[in-house]
Amino acid sequence: AMSVAMSTMLYLLLRQLRFAWLDAGVMAVLVLIFPAATSIRFWTAPVSALTLSLALLGFVLALRAFDSEGRRRLALHGLSLAAFVASLLLYEVALSLMLASVLLYRMRVPWKAAGARWLADCALLVPLAALVTRSESSSWEAQTVDGMWRHAGVFWDQAQTILTAVVLPFGTDRWYALALIALVPLAAVVLMRQLESADPARGELRRWLLTVLGGLAVVALGYAMFVPAMDYYTPLGPGIANRINAVPSIGWVLVLYGLLMLAATMACRARSPGSAMRA
């Protein structure tokens, strides 16, 4: 039930970001069945999908608030902050996402309004996060600076394995995945620059390029929370350790879906009558 709630909140957030219902629905379902984050479905501790559901709900309420006025606007912002606080108090796994909220808000409102709400987020969440981590017997004090650099290297290495073996389960070498990540967006950028501004394909390519970039940002933010932690926490860790893929799983799905939609958009544009790419 908590996993379904998490995917439902993700669906609502994607709809707030103007994704079509089919695109939002497919991505929400893919996150629900992401195979490298199984512990969030079978482990009933607070670190489960409920934590992420609350964070996603906070983003949905914040975006709705930007479209509202007066008391309703203030009420929605207050409820959004309350959802963020509840998520943090359960587990700080989504903290990095919430502290990067200004990037999401900017997609809806100008920098001034986005920055004002982001400052409110930071003013509330940063001191609370410090209190939470200080009061825990936690694994966050286990790494030195050198250890964090080494741990980050492990994350980088294993994240590539996640991409090639889980997100793209073709049993292929890493070079294939890296080439795919590089060549598909590169081809999309080249095509987009050749298209006229009124061409609908230009807007679609831009949308899915931003989706891929957003997905990579979510992956990086999700894993960054665990870099200071003990070595047990890695993307390919055994048992309940794979819960650290809960937040990055959203990013991985955005990357995969964005790449597929870029390829599909370019293929359809190349076959359209009068296309410059047809030859």
Side-chain angles (χ1 to χ4, degrees):
M2 289 187 291
S3 296
V4 170
M6 178 193 68
S7 286
T8 301
M9 290 299 105
L10 176 61
Y11 172 81
L12 294 176
L13 177 57
L14 293 173
R15 292 291 286 152
Q16 282 290 316
L17 295 174
R18 307 291 193 262
F19 283 92
W21 69 268
L22 181 59
D23 296 321
V26 171
M27 286 186 278
V29 170
L30 287 174
V31 170
L32 180 65
I33 61 176
F34 189 76
T38 55
S39 65
I40 66 169
R41 295 186 285 275
F42 299 111
W43 187 33
T44 57
V47 69
S48 65
L50 178 60
T51 302
L52 193 49
S53 297
L54 289 167
L56 293 171
L57 175 61
F59 286 124
V60 171
L61 293 172
L63 294 180
R64 290 290 298 272
F66 288 127
D67 293 333
S68 304
E69 298 292 341
R71 293 182 178 179
R72 177 179 172 82
R73 182 187 183 100
L74 291 175
L76 288 172
H77 277 308
L79 290 172
S80 172
L81 288 169
F84 284 169
V85 168
S87 175
L88 177 59
L89 291 177
L90 282 175
Y91 192 54
E92 59 268 37
V93 65
L95 177 61
S96 56
L97 285 184
M98 295 185 288
L99 292 181
S101 58
V102 66
L103 301 176
L104 187 66
Y105 302 154
R106 179 60 185 85
M107 299 176 68
R108 179 61 60 84
V109 294
W111 279 113
K112 183 177 181 180
R117 171 56 207 264
W118 175 71
L119 288 175
D121 292 345
C122 294
L124 184 62
L125 295 176
V126 171
L128 184 59
L131 289 174
V132 168
T133 55
R134 187 177 303 170
S135 63
E136 291 177 345
S137 60
S138 93
S139 49
W140 305 106
E141 302 172 359
Q143 294 285 3
T144 63
V145 174
D146 289 340
M148 284 191 286
W149 277 109
R150 178 184 48 77
H151 203 196
V154 174
F155 271 80
W156 170 255
D157 184 68
Q158 294 192 8
Q160 295 177 64
T161 302
I162 290 280
L163 179 62
T164 56
V166 177
V167 179
L168 301 171
F170 305 136
T172 182
D173 292 329
R174 289 183 181 178
W175 70 265
Y176 179 84
L178 295 176
L180 182 64
I181 290 291
L183 293 179
V184 173
L186 179 60
V189 170
V190 172
L191 174 58
M192 189 172 65
R193 291 175 63 88
Q194 294 178 353
L195 297 176
E196 297 179 357
S197 58
D199 194 317
R202 184 184 177 93
E204 283 298 300
L205 291 173
R206 182 176 182 276
R207 169 191 291 271
W208 297 115
L209 281 169
L210 289 175
T211 300
V212 172
L213 290 175
L216 292 173
V218 172
V219 170
L221 289 168
Y223 286 143
M225 281 297 302
F226 292 91
V227 170
M230 63 178 64
D231 291 341
Y232 171 75
Y233 294 102
T234 57
L236 296 177
I240 59 175
N242 74 29
R243 71 185 186 271
I244 75 168
N245 292 315
V247 172
S249 66
I250 297 176
W252 288 127
V253 167
L254 291 174
V255 170
L256 172 62
Y257 199 82
L259 289 173
L260 291 175
M261 292 302 292
L262 284 173
T265 301
M266 289 188 288
C268 292
R269 184 64 181 79
R271 297 185 60 184
S272 64
S275 170
M277 297 286 289
R278 191 171 182 177

